[in-house]
Every structure is written in C-alpha cells, then in structure tokens.
Amino acid sequence: WVVHGLGGALLVGRVVHAYGVSQAREDFRFRVTGMMLTFAALTVSSVLLVAGRLAGSLETCVTVWV
C-alpha cells in the first residue's frame, strides 16, 4: 500500500503542476502544490529505501513506518 500511495501522490502532484503551468495566467498555487507533492513522494521514497537498506530489509522498514 505504501508504494501505491507514493505513486498516487507522485501522479497527482505531476498532474496538478501541469495544470498550473498550462493556464494562460499561471496559478502558482497549483504549481507549488504539485511541486510539494512530487518532492514529498520522492523524499519519503528515498528515506524508506535508505532506511530499509540500513535495516537489511525493506519490508521491515515499511512495517515500522506504517
């Protein structure tokens, strides 16, 4: 479920950012929200992967975080 949640956040972030950029008058709220969701998904994924590697097992790390 963690992978699905992170993938969903990444997808929504990219779509929201694209919507903000595609407007004739760019709405920075959409761009910033999209960037925040994108970077949050990437950061959480990175932290989980590094912590999982240090713990020796990704399943152990995800179980602890969730």
Side-chain angles (χ1 to χ4, degrees):
W1 293 106
V2 174
V3 173
H4 289 85
L6 290 170
L10 183 63
L11 177 67
V12 169
R14 298 311 304 150
V15 169
V16 169
H17 182 265
Y19 176 76
V21 171
S22 68
Q23 300 302 307
R25 287 192 49 190
E26 290 183 16
D27 190 350
F28 287 104
R29 291 177 295 170
F30 289 111
R31 291 185 66 186
V32 170
T33 301
M35 288 187 295
M36 287 174 53
L37 279 170
T38 298
F39 285 125
L42 291 173
T43 302
V44 171
S45 298
S46 300
V47 168
L48 286 175
L49 286 170
V50 169
R53 179 63 179 148
L54 292 175
S57 169
L58 185 59
E59 291 83 15
T60 302
C61 182
V62 170
T63 303
V64 170
W65 282 85
V66 177

